[in-house]
Amino acid sequence: MTYPRYQRPSMILSHDEALRGEKFAKTPGRGQYVPSGVDWHHVSGDGRLASSSSPERKEQGGNRARNGKKSPPIGVLKPKKAYNVSIIIGNLRIPISEVGQALYRMDEKALEPDFLRRLMAYLPDNTELDEYLNMSSRDVGRLNQADQFVYELAHVQGYESRIKAIVLKASFGEKVYRVREHLINLKKACAEVKRSSKLAKVLETLLSVRSQVGGQQASRPFRLELLSRLHMVRLEGRAGNLLQLLVQAVQAGCPDCCIISDELPTVTRVSKVSSADLQEELTELRRMLQEASTLLASMSGLNDGRPAGVIDNFPDIVGHFISEASDSLQVLFSLQAAALDEFHSLLVYLGEDPKQGGGVVGGSEQIFSILAEFLLKFERLAKG
């Protein structure tokens, strides 16, 4: 093929273009020749026509977002806060657009308490809230996913009180379960100790061994705390310690009593619960019930500004919760009183002074820790 006079090899025309008789025009200042009618801005440095995705084309079209290009997302939350929110809502079970209705319904299946509990640390502050509430519809459509979610929350009347109520309701139930379980176990452990024939036989053997050993051990009154020190009590004129002598006596006189824990399955479990922690849980339950009442009162003073057709279950659900929670607390207090009576009875059975030994709040874990430790050391030594 014979090239036109001013055509460079890099600008070879297609056969169809040659047949159409395309003419060439010189591009001023660039020393190149392009087909007439072609914008010279679209010609790359080596003479090729730049595609729409080439850097040259992008440079020219950088300011053309208004002609069809999608605007980049915007955000109100700070990057770190937005990042944490985006991680949390990764477990969201419903579309973001339905979050507001679910919160009005107080729907714990759509908005699980654990999900809301983690979210509470990232609720919008006053400045962010103002931006969401005064945002134009055009900017709303450009929000990133995390901000879209928080935007939906911000437009729910009393959203923070609703979230707190759902979390509080779930936490209250969890605490009630833990406290009730411990109080029931405490009563059960007290009964196990008083019913255990094996423990009674071992303690009887211990008193006999102490009297046989004589000396200071025989002259001192028996206290339960001695069980935790048997392995440290050395015998005058004998090898070993008082715990070893007790095990030998039990093995010889009542070998069936070498394993006592089968009659005391709850003792070790109760020994791991602090009485102070138990009392703190009871105090916290009272505070939570009061907080629920405060939330209900604060919401009743708001104007009804929910969207048309949206059902607000907050008053009914929180009101019902307060009623049930009050009943649950009364049951716990009754159970606490019964457990305290059982524990005092146990202290008397063991020869301890109830006034000195404490109660459900003030020493139960100490008593059962002594018993649990004794069982462990005694049976370990008995097994050899």
Side-chain angles (χ1 to χ4, degrees):
M1 176 184 295
T2 303
Y3 300 121
R5 181 177 179 182
Y6 295 107
Q7 185 177 353
R8 292 173 54 183
S10 60
M11 290 296 297
I12 300 176
L13 296 179
S14 68
H15 180 67
D16 291 340
E17 290 172 333
L19 292 177
R20 288 198 303 268
E22 288 287 334
K23 297 182 180 179
F24 288 82
K26 187 173 182 179
T27 304
R30 297 189 58 178
Q32 298 184 23
Y33 290 86
V34 298
S36 59
V38 177
D39 187 352
W40 65 270
H41 294 94
H42 296 174
V43 181
S44 62
D46 61 359
R48 292 174 297 176
L49 291 177
S51 68
S52 59
S53 61
S54 68
E56 292 87 346
R57 184 61 176 269
K58 286 183 178 179
E59 182 179 357
Q60 294 298 323
N63 297 322
R64 300 180 183 176
R66 67 175 62 93
N67 293 329
K69 284 191 176 180
K70 187 176 181 180
S71 301
I74 62 174
V76 174
L77 303 176
K78 293 181 179 180
K80 185 176 181 180
K81 190 173 183 178
Y83 173 76
N84 289 325
V85 171
S86 64
I87 292 177
I88 294 173
I89 65 176
N91 297 322
L92 186 63
R93 293 187 169 188
I94 58 175
I96 291 178
S97 59
E98 298 179 11
V99 167
Q101 294 184 22
L103 200 51
Y104 274 114
R105 294 195 309 270
M106 301 288 286
D107 190 342
E108 296 182 27
K109 292 183 178 180
L111 300 173
E112 296 180 332
D114 286 340
F115 170 83
L116 295 177
R117 187 180 288 115
R118 288 181 290 138
L119 183 66
M120 287 180 67
Y122 305 104
L123 294 179
D125 56 31
N126 291 334
T127 301
E128 294 165 342
L129 186 59
D130 288 341
E131 289 194 50
Y132 287 125
L133 296 180
N134 296 296
M135 185 171 289
S136 67
S137 57
R138 177 182 177 185
D139 287 340
V140 172
R142 297 174 57 195
L143 287 175
N144 59 50
Q145 190 178 42
D147 279 277
Q148 287 177 15
F149 176 81
V150 180
Y151 175 86
E152 292 293 332
L153 287 183
H155 283 76
V156 175
Q157 189 180 42
Y159 68 91
E160 190 170 0
S161 295
R162 297 173 188 276
I163 291 175
K164 285 182 179 180
I166 292 176
V167 173
L168 185 148
K169 182 171 174 284
S171 299
F172 189 92
E174 293 167 0
K175 287 182 180 294
V176 166
Y177 176 82
R178 288 197 300 268
V179 172
R180 182 192 295 116
E181 183 181 37
H182 176 66
L183 291 174
I184 290 174
N185 286 336
L186 181 57
K187 287 184 61 179
K188 188 176 179 181
C190 290
E192 288 173 358
V193 173
K194 290 188 291 184
R195 285 199 312 261
S196 176
S197 58
K198 292 183 179 181
L199 179 62
K201 185 63 178 178
V202 171
L203 293 179
E204 181 182 340
T205 304
L206 175 60
L207 294 177
S208 175
V209 169
R210 288 180 76 226
S211 63
Q212 293 175 13
V213 171
Q216 295 182 347
Q217 286 299 321
S219 62
R220 294 175 180 175
F222 176 80
R223 297 297 302 273
L224 191 66
E225 63 177 354
L226 175 63
L227 296 180
S228 63
R229 297 187 291 105
L230 292 179
H231 64 291
M232 296 186 292
V233 178
R234 297 296 174 181
L235 307 176
E236 297 179 6
R238 298 192 185 191
N241 55 54
L242 189 56
L243 178 60
Q244 292 172 329
L245 187 60
L246 172 63
V247 171
Q248 292 170 6
V250 171
Q251 288 175 330
C254 47
D256 292 342
C257 296
C258 288
I259 302 298
I260 316 173
S261 57
D262 58 345
E263 291 186 350
L264 306 169
T266 317
V267 168
T268 301
R269 191 182 314 163
V270 172
S271 69
K272 297 178 180 179
V273 179
S274 167
S275 297
D277 291 343
L278 177 63
Q279 180 59 32
E280 187 176 337
E281 293 269 37
L282 287 168
T283 302
E284 178 66 8
L285 284 172
R286 285 181 173 177
R287 187 201 64 78
M288 293 171 72
L289 181 58
Q290 181 60 45
E291 183 180 357
S293 299
T294 302
L295 288 173
L296 182 60
S298 65
M299 289 289 285
S300 63
L302 295 178
N303 293 325
D304 190 0
R306 67 178 183 270
V310 174
I311 300 175
D312 188 358
N313 290 333
F314 182 88
D316 292 338
I317 289 180
V318 177
H320 183 67
F321 162 71
I322 292 174
S323 177
E324 286 193 335
S326 299
D327 293 341
S328 296
L329 274 182
Q330 291 301 320
V331 171
L332 284 184
F333 293 144
S334 298
L335 186 57
Q336 180 189 21
L340 183 58
D341 289 341
E342 284 287 345
F343 184 65
H344 284 174
S345 174
L346 174 64
L347 291 176
V348 173
Y349 172 79
L350 295 173
E352 300 291 323
D353 184 355
K355 296 181 180 179
Q356 299 294 327
V360 173
V361 182
S364 61
E365 77 277 6
Q366 181 181 3
I367 298 298
F368 286 104
S369 291
I370 291 173
L371 289 172
E373 183 181 2
F374 169 71
L375 293 178
L376 179 64
K377 292 179 179 179
F378 177 85
E379 292 183 355
R380 183 182 296 167
L381 190 59
K383 291 178 181 178

